[in-house]
Amino acid sequence: MAQAPCPADHDKLLAVLKANVKASGGPANGGFETNEWAAVVARDGAVCAIAFSGPTADSQWPGSRLVAAEKANTANGLSLAQMALSTANLYAGAEPGGPLFGLQETNPVNQAAAYAGDPKTFGSASDPLVGKPIGGIVVFGGGLALYDGKSIVGGIGVSGDSSCADHNVAWRVRAALGLDKVPAGVNPNRKDAIVYDLDPGGKSASGWGHPLCAGTEADIAAELGAGVGGSIHK
């Protein structure tokens, strides 16, 4: 069966990721400033590119390879040509009592693909996940749908720092790839931006909120246009 085209190949993803992670020479993103994994899925849900920003595969959390791929799957799988949802937008609704509670259980991870292959190839152009659907649903920041100005073409996931910093990195990478032509979302102006509007009891005013992380991620999100609320800047 013919596969959907990949929105970004491995080399392009690697270059853009490194340029947008502080540990590999890029700008600050407000969190731990650790190295990151990034994964891209095509519109059909197949993983088509994976990269890491550090010098070796264990220079960033090894577990984040799958988290990044599942974030990409989530954003692609829950976004449409006319409306984007980031993984950050799903947090509040997936909490107990929320309208999306249980969402994480709906698309099981493809375990045959997730743990297959030679770890020495992880993050390379020949990563064993490439060409396979990964599945999985992640309901915290770091996953964004990809838009080329004509339609939705897939999703990107970033993992390896705080979820708030992952969102910032994904936002930067998507823009650098030219795949940020988001038509609409749950934020009127900032489309699928992260929403920092949880009250002290954890309730989201918009219903699409995400918790603040411990660093300056919300300030950087405000500067990037990647976030709504939560910033100390007035």
Side-chain angles (χ1 to χ4, degrees):
M1 189 173 84
Q3 291 184 344
C6 191
D9 66 22
H10 171 267
D11 291 352
K12 191 169 195 179
L13 179 64
L14 175 61
V16 172
L17 179 66
K18 282 179 172 288
N20 287 286
V21 172
K22 186 174 182 182
S24 53
N29 288 292
F32 303 117
E33 307 299 1
T34 42
N35 277 302
E36 299 261 36
W37 288 88
V40 171
V41 302
R43 185 57 176 154
D44 62 6
V47 177
C48 61
I50 303 179
F52 53 80
S53 64
T56 62
D58 71 339
S59 299
Q60 42 285 305
W61 297 333
S64 280
R65 171 176 168 265
L66 291 180
V67 179
E70 291 167 40
K71 286 180 181 181
N73 176 73
T74 304
N76 175 66
L78 297 178
S79 295
L80 297 169
Q82 66 272 27
M83 181 180 168
L85 282 173
S86 64
T87 56
N89 296 151
L90 302 174
Y91 179 90
E95 286 292 281
L100 299 177
F101 180 62
L103 180 66
Q104 300 98 308
E105 312 303 322
T106 60
N107 287 254
V109 173
N110 177 359
Q111 294 199 10
Y115 300 105
D118 182 354
K120 292 188 180 69
T121 65
F122 289 0
S124 73
S126 57
D127 188 299
L129 276 181
V130 172
K132 302 181 180 72
I134 182 59
I137 295 285
V138 176
V139 295
F140 48 83
L144 299 169
L146 300 175
Y147 293 86
D148 65 359
K150 298 173 185 172
S151 192
I152 181 172
V153 292
I156 185 166
V158 171
S159 180
D161 201 326
S162 72
S163 57
C164 306
D166 291 344
H167 172 83
N168 290 344
V169 176
W171 196 273
R172 291 186 194 272
V173 169
R174 179 172 71 173
L177 292 171
L179 296 172
D180 59 346
K181 313 299 189 295
V182 180
V186 295
N187 302 301
N189 298 321
R190 300 185 186 180
K191 317 288 175 61
D192 55 351
I194 194 167
V195 184
Y196 293 117
D197 70 352
L198 271 63
D199 68 19
K203 289 291 182 186
S204 165
S206 66
W208 304 103
H210 189 284
L212 286 162
C213 298
T216 58
E217 299 96 336
D219 301 317
I220 289 170
E223 291 166 7
L224 290 175
V228 176
S231 174
I232 60 170
H233 296 325
K234 301 300 180 189

